[in-house]
Amino acid sequence: MMRWQGYLVTNMGYELVQDDFPTRFNRDDVIKSLEGRYGMKVIQVNPSPIGQN
């Protein structure tokens, strides 16, 4: 598993979210998954820095 982070575009601004995804997921897979889960546009998706849990 690998921890990813991205920003949801909400009516109140941006909200940082983090979640673990299978190692085989790429950036596009993570964006699709987060947008499906939260029903909002997701921007600036990156692996989370090491040690940030």
Side-chain angles (χ1 to χ4, degrees):
M1 296 295 272
M2 186 170 172
R3 181 158 290 229
W4 286 77
Q5 65 184 21
Y7 286 95
L8 298 176
V9 180
T10 72
N11 292 334
M12 300 293 289
Y14 300 116
E15 181 178 342
L16 179 65
V17 294
Q18 296 182 347
D19 207 343
D20 294 325
F21 294 95
T23 304
R24 69 180 186 277
F25 272 34
N26 62 32
R27 187 177 311 275
D28 292 333
D29 296 330
V30 172
I31 289 171
K32 287 178 190 175
S33 179
L34 290 173
E35 287 181 344
R37 181 176 300 155
Y38 294 104
M40 298 177 195
K41 182 169 176 56
V42 176
I43 61 169
Q44 199 172 345
V45 175
N46 294 300
S48 292
I50 295 173
Q52 298 282 322
N53 290 330

